[in-house]
Amino acid sequence: MSVEETIQGTETAQLPQQRGESLLETAVRYAEERHWDVFPGAWLDAVDGVQRCSCRQPGCEAPGAHPTRPDWATQATGSATVARRMWQKQPNAAILLPTGRTFDALSVPETAGFLALARMERMELTLGPVTLTPDRRMHFFVLPGASVKVPDLMRKLGWAPSSLDLVALGEGAYVAAPPTRFGSRGAVQWACRPTPANRWLPDAEELISPLAYACGRDR
């Protein structure tokens, strides 16, 4: 698949939601079909015609797309039955996925992410799912353990970890899943959708070179 097709696929990835699939149904499907742990986050309420985060905090950085409690990690479940029960309590809750369990995520700026996708295509690398967020970040799903490996992998490539905007999200972190909305900024989308072909995730070591190169170009 070309990068152009990948970018166009971000719209296609939203089709299930357009056909009427609810957040509840999507969360259940992630648990059931991908075996990802899920947990409900904040949600958006209409206040005087404006979508505001349920946390009611002025200046919320991720309105409608963050955990609602400090012990959110204990709330995450891979059970479709439990997920259904949680979203029945708050059908508009964000769908959040904890990292460090079935996957880690390599987070890069959007511009670097698309540059890396083009390079990965030329290298014929096999990708896992990749999300594109309204705050202009891309998250590449990789095998767990990336957060431990990435600093050394970057040093081997000649980069100081602090010199690039490349962050490995592992245990204790999370990503927002499509079609979670970030307030008025829009919804999280799939840059590379979950498919049967990418059920088996790449190791961070396979993707770190094109990602580091792209982040270096994007500085």
Side-chain angles (χ1 to χ4, degrees), residues 16 20-30 32 84 87 95:
E21 184 176 65
S22 66
L23 286 162
L24 181 154
E25 292 165 332
T26 305
V28 167
R29 183 159 53 81
Y30 288 154
E32 201 164 50
R84 183 178 299 277
W87 265 269
I95 303 173

Side-chain angles (χ1 to χ4, degrees), residues 116-127:
L117 282 176
R119 194 171 178 84
M120 290 172 186
E121 178 188 320
R122 293 193 296 272
M123 297 170 69
E124 298 184 347
L125 296 179
T126 300
L127 289 176

